[in-house]
Amino acid sequence: MVFRKKHLLGLEELSAEEITTILDAAAGMKEIFSRPVKKVPALRGKTVCNLFFENSTRTRTSFELAAKNLSADVVNFNVATSSVVKGESLLDTARTIQSMAVDIVVIRHSCPGTPLLLSKRLNMSVVNAGDGAHAHPTQGLLDLFTMREHFGSIKDLRVAIVGDILHSRVARSNIFGLRKLGAHVTLVGPSTLVPREFKEMGCEIEYDLKRGISNANVINLLRIQLERQKKNLFPSIREYRLLYGLQEDRLSWASPDVLVMHPGPVNRGVEISQEIADGPHSVINEQVTNGIAVRMAVLYLVSGGGAGSGVQVGG
Ligand code: CP
């Protein structure tokens, strides 16, 4: 299938076929960056700007590596030392970047809808690297990619997403992607963090960890956002760990070949034990590696690389 989208704003906006096209392209990209010389000229002459208004380790670094693997030039915009601190608006900042002949802007912002706004006002391609609690599409895609690598297909997988669903852009992007590709999704956590409205997205809801991860093929643990504790959404970290923390003796509730996933950053000893995070079921580091392949595919496809001829990357 040909990919015709100029922007990547969220997985809600993509069809199952478009998601599959990105995952197929990412498989080719993973082969490229596993080579000793992990560079192809696919985006030579293009410029990618990482415009991050929120902190990031994984997403920003892997977008930079992905762009460099495709031979693009990369600019990392540093908000703290920019004219944003003098009061320059988001749109003026973005227009300024566009005027420097940037082709793709990768944006992370705390305000939901910021990537959509930029996509309407600018000519550059816009890639959402996380907007508030709304969407984190490349995280969703790299999670799907990792599941597909292990199980061959997403269809009919039983996936439990555990933790702070309410505030999680990762959960939303996973839910849209998983449901479109035919997985069964169960959301697990305290009722304050797992509202019943999520049933409308085609998910099951469980407040009991044992029932929630029973026979799961995949357990995707979300970071407990410690800053939320002040809002009385759960009584204490200790109680959260007792009720929802994934510890060795609880893994037997899931399928014997269960994959344990986490988007990072990880709170070891809270949502996941040290032993499981570093154990044989954990694919946390694979997720990070796959993130580069998925972001290479996204940058390539939004820049028109797949149009007309399917996905073919030279080199
Ligand atoms: N998973 C994720 O978005 O991590 P970063 O915040 O480090 O980019």
Side-chain angles (χ1 to χ4, degrees), residues 1-150:
M1 165 174 182
V2 175
F3 191 88
R4 297 194 191 281
K5 294 244 169 14
K6 181 178 173 184
H7 310 290
L8 178 68
L9 304 177
L11 299 193
E12 189 177 0
E13 291 83 358
L14 299 186
S15 65
E17 291 72 27
E18 287 170 326
I19 293 172
T20 302
T21 297
I22 298 174
L23 300 183
D24 291 345
M29 297 298 180
K30 188 163 177 181
E31 188 277 314
I32 289 167
F33 88 81
S34 307
R35 295 175 192 167
V37 179
K38 39 184 171 294
K39 234 185 187 17
V40 288
L43 292 190
R44 185 184 290 155
K46 303 269 185 195
T47 304
V48 176
C49 178
N50 282 323
L51 181 57
F52 277 56
F53 288 83
E54 274 188 352
N55 294 342
S56 168
T57 297
R58 282 146 284 266
T59 312
R60 201 206 57 74
T61 309
S62 66
F63 265 114
E64 179 172 352
L65 290 170
K68 286 180 171 169
N69 290 348
L70 295 171
S71 304
D73 294 312
V74 186
V75 182
N76 289 309
F77 180 88
N78 186 342
V79 172
T81 56
S82 75
S83 291
V84 169
V85 295
K86 298 181 207 163
E88 189 163 41
S89 75
L90 169 73
L91 263 179
D92 282 340
T93 302
R95 283 196 189 105
T96 302
I97 288 167
Q98 177 169 269
S99 302
M100 296 179 193
V102 164
D103 300 285
I104 305 173
V105 65
V106 178
I107 174 132
R108 172 173 284 193
H109 202 284
S110 60
C111 186
T114 303
L116 174 66
L117 174 77
L118 295 191
S119 74
K120 287 177 185 290
R121 299 291 186 92
L122 302 171
N123 298 321
M124 304 181 279
S125 283
V126 177
V127 176
N128 184 358
D131 59 333
H134 171 239
H136 193 348
T138 55
Q139 181 68 46
L141 288 165
L142 76 88
D143 290 345
L144 293 172
F145 183 85
T146 305
M147 291 178 216
R148 199 178 77 157
E149 267 200 333
H150 279 265

Side-chain angles (χ1 to χ4, degrees), residues 279-301:
H281 293 273
S282 167
V283 290
I284 296 171
N285 293 328
E286 270 178 54
Q287 287 172 264
V288 174
T289 304
N290 289 339
I292 301 177
V294 161
R295 289 171 179 127
M296 286 171 74
V298 167
L299 293 174
Y300 178 67
L301 291 171

Side-chain angles (χ1 to χ4, degrees), residues 55-250:
N55 294 342
S56 168
T57 297
R58 282 146 284 266
T59 312
R60 201 206 57 74
T61 309
S62 66
F63 265 114
E64 179 172 352
L65 290 170
K68 286 180 171 169
N69 290 348
L70 295 171
S71 304
D73 294 312
V74 186
V75 182
N76 289 309
F77 180 88
N78 186 342
V79 172
T81 56
S82 75
S83 291
V84 169
V85 295
K86 298 181 207 163
E88 189 163 41
S89 75
L90 169 73
L91 263 179
D92 282 340
T93 302
R95 283 196 189 105
T96 302
I97 288 167
Q98 177 169 269
S99 302
M100 296 179 193
V102 164
D103 300 285
I104 305 173
V105 65
V106 178
I107 174 132
R108 172 173 284 193
H109 202 284
S110 60
C111 186
T114 303
L116 174 66
L117 174 77
L118 295 191
S119 74
K120 287 177 185 290
R121 299 291 186 92
L122 302 171
N123 298 321
M124 304 181 279
S125 283
V126 177
V127 176
N128 184 358
D131 59 333
H134 171 239
H136 193 348
T138 55
Q139 181 68 46
L141 288 165
L142 76 88
D143 290 345
L144 293 172
F145 183 85
T146 305
M147 291 178 216
R148 199 178 77 157
E149 267 200 333
H150 279 265
F151 294 107
S153 166
I154 303 294
K155 190 162 167 41
D156 293 331
L157 282 183
R158 295 179 300 279
V159 180
I161 307 177
V162 183
D164 183 355
I165 310 294
L166 178 64
H167 301 100
S168 176
R169 57 194 176 205
V170 175
R172 279 180 180 75
S173 287
N174 263 269
I175 293 166
F176 281 118
L178 287 164
R179 293 295 299 132
K180 283 177 194 230
L181 297 190
H184 304 282
V185 181
T186 304
L187 307 177
V188 189
S191 59
T192 46
L193 298 179
V194 188
R196 296 210 74 80
E197 290 74 48
F198 278 84
K199 269 180 117 51
E200 288 160 26
M201 295 173 77
C203 305
E204 297 296 318
I205 307 254
E206 275 293 352
Y207 303 125
D208 176 77
L209 182 68
K210 186 171 186 177
R211 280 204 303 271
I213 67 171
S214 170
N215 293 319
N217 303 114
V218 177
I219 305 174
N220 199 351
L221 299 161
L222 301 178
R223 178 176 81 90
I224 277 300
Q225 302 182 30
L226 300 172
E227 60 276 19
R228 308 271 179 216
Q229 210 199 334
K230 296 186 189 81
K231 297 184 179 166
N232 294 325
L233 292 169
F234 52 94
S236 67
I237 294 295
R238 185 172 169 277
E239 182 157 328
Y240 183 87
R241 186 178 58 232
L242 283 175
L243 290 175
Y244 297 104
L246 194 63
Q247 295 144 22
E248 288 277 73
D249 54 335
R250 296 173 173 182

